[in-house]
DNA sequence: CCGCATCCTTCTTGATACTG
DNA sequence: CAGTATCAAGAAGGATGCGG
């Protein structure tokens, strides 16, 4: 997904006036990434943390249901894209913190429109789904 | 994911001022849908068509690389969610047109912010990817 | 504590052939 | 023309065990 397929809430979304002004640009995997199961959840948790930084274990604790493996993979991809930076402290036991970059913050802002749209339209969509499924038996 | 992983272009994106104002809401599969390989491509083609309607075969011709099977599946999902309506004409040979609903148009508007963000940030992201991959050997 | 390796299951996409 | 059915390939996600 883009937004959470688990989580809650917000203010109102004003659809822009007039016609659609974009031709969709190639996203080179960005959208697939944002649409996966955990990415936005991770970005959002980091955005709410002190100094936009959290330890691996803190993220794992906050994100319900995520496995160590998936958290690692998700963070690696975000790091590779420059949305998150990894800070490694070679203590014993080791400590690792992940920090949201400005670009990481930016993508969350860019998702606000979609977020509000979903909030406003999800009930209607689910209504359609029920009707459709019923018609199919 | 959301925008095209194949396609081009647009105007500028003004990031909202101040702090992030949303807690991501549950999307119930919407985001996964928007993040898949063909959904946005289909929505966008319909949005540019006369009366926002196109025949199945026209869509197939316009969307490079899509198979009959994937176009069918994509349209079924969009129809189920109420983003598209299917008009069936029992002629010989049969004719089927798909029409973008207001809600379908709405979701494209809601994606504009993301679209512009990607256009503006993709070069930087790809730079990060190259650096990351190089560091990994 | 953090993360890698391995194995396994499920989902998504694609290729191809057939039909009202 | 606009599908459906079937099969196969690959990617994504989950479970579990080991290691610095």
């Amino acid at each position: 997904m883009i937004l959470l397929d688990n989580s809650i809430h917000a203010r109102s979304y004003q659809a822009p006036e007039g016609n659609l002004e974009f031709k969709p640009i190639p996203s080179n995997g960005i959208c697939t990434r944002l649409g996966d199961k955990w990415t936005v959840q991770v970005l959002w948790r980091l955005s709410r943390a002190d100094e936009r930084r959290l330890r691996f274990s803190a993220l794992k604790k906050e994100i319900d249901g995520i496995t160590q493996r998936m958290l690692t993979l998700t963070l690696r991809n975000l790091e590779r894209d420059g949305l998150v930076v990894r800070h490694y402290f070679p203590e014993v036991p080791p400590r690792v913190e992940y920090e949201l970059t400005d670009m990481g913050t930016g993508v969350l802002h860019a998702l606000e429109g979609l977020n509000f749209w979903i909030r406003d339209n999800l009930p209607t969509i689910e209504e359609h789904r029920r009707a459709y499924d019923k018609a199919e038996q």
Side-chain angles (χ1 to χ4, degrees), chain A:
Chain A
M1 109 40 190
I2 293 266
L3 299 200
L4 304 188
D5 280 332
N6 329 324
S7 181
I8 321 284
H9 166 85
R11 81 181 173 200
S12 205
Y13 173 63
Q14 273 303 343
E17 304 279 322
N19 275 345
L20 206 51
E21 296 217 11
F22 78 93
K23 171 167 185 170
I25 66 159
S27 90
N28 250 166
I30 308 287
C31 294
T32 308
R33 201 80 291 131
L34 294 174
D36 75 17
K37 198 167 176 183
W38 304 110
T39 294
V40 171
Q41 177 97 239
V42 168
L43 290 173
W44 178 65
R45 298 288 176 172
L46 287 173
S47 78
R48 313 219 65 191
D50 259 16
E51 308 178 8
R52 307 188 304 195
R53 290 169 77 132
L54 281 176
R55 298 187 58 158
F56 183 89
S57 48
L59 272 169
K60 174 143 171 38
K61 202 173 299 177
E62 284 195 30
I63 301 175
D64 197 60
I66 197 170
T67 61
Q68 207 167 38
R69 173 181 143 77
M70 288 315 297
L71 182 53
T72 301
L73 285 177
T74 303
L75 287 166
R76 285 293 167 281
N77 283 319
L78 290 172
E79 190 193 359
R80 187 171 102 100
D81 286 355
L83 303 185
V84 150
V85 286
R86 182 177 189 265
H87 301 281
Y88 175 72
F89 304 92
E91 312 166 350
V92 274
R95 175 165 58 101
V96 180
E97 291 180 3
Y98 290 90
E99 180 186 8
L100 196 63
T101 63
D102 288 344
M103 201 159 60
T105 304
V107 77
L108 283 175
H109 279 293
L111 284 170
E112 286 189 311
L114 180 59
N115 190 50
F116 298 138
W117 183 88
I118 289 173
R119 186 200 52 183
D120 296 341
N121 290 275
L122 191 55
T124 310
I125 290 173
E126 291 183 327
E127 181 55 41
H128 275 276
R129 287 179 179 175
R130 276 189 295 275
Y132 184 93
D133 293 346
K134 192 165 193 174
E136 302 290 289
Q137 272 75 339

